[in-house]
Amino acid sequence: MKNKLALILVLAVVTLPFMGQANAAQDSAESFSSSGIQQALNLRQQGDFNGAIKLLLIQLKKNPQDLQVKLELAASYYQSGH
């Protein structure tokens, strides 16, 4: 029992630093995605629908599961008349 507990403790200590790095990378990616979305929203607000669509398509390729990008892309297509 003590061996199992020691093994679990060692594994936790070894893996925790890597989990922090993964979270930092994810936060960085989300921040980049948010800034890309914001740039697209600014373009769309200025009437540059094609520019907004291009930026959103780039964001979608980087993160195909991002629902906000999909919604903003749909709104951009709708407002552009495509």
Side-chain angles (χ1 to χ4, degrees):
M1 181 70 175
K2 286 184 179 182
N3 288 339
K4 287 182 182 179
L5 184 58
L7 179 62
I8 291 171
L9 185 59
V10 168
L11 288 174
V13 168
V14 169
T15 57
L16 281 176
F18 294 110
M19 293 175 70
Q21 290 173 353
N23 287 340
Q26 183 179 2
D27 290 345
S28 176
E30 288 174 0
S31 174
F32 179 75
S33 178
S34 295
S35 68
I37 292 170
Q38 188 59 49
Q39 289 174 344
L41 294 178
N42 291 341
L43 288 174
R44 191 172 72 197
Q45 188 175 24
Q46 296 169 7
D48 184 1
F49 301 111
N50 290 330
I53 290 168
K54 287 178 185 177
L55 283 178
L56 290 166
L57 286 172
I58 290 169
Q59 293 298 318
L60 188 60
K61 284 183 181 181
K62 292 178 182 176
N63 191 1
Q65 301 302 320
D66 192 330
L67 183 59
Q68 184 180 4
V69 172
K70 291 178 182 181
L71 291 172
E72 298 301 344
L73 185 58
S76 296
Y77 275 123
Y78 178 77
Q79 290 180 352
S80 72
H82 283 105

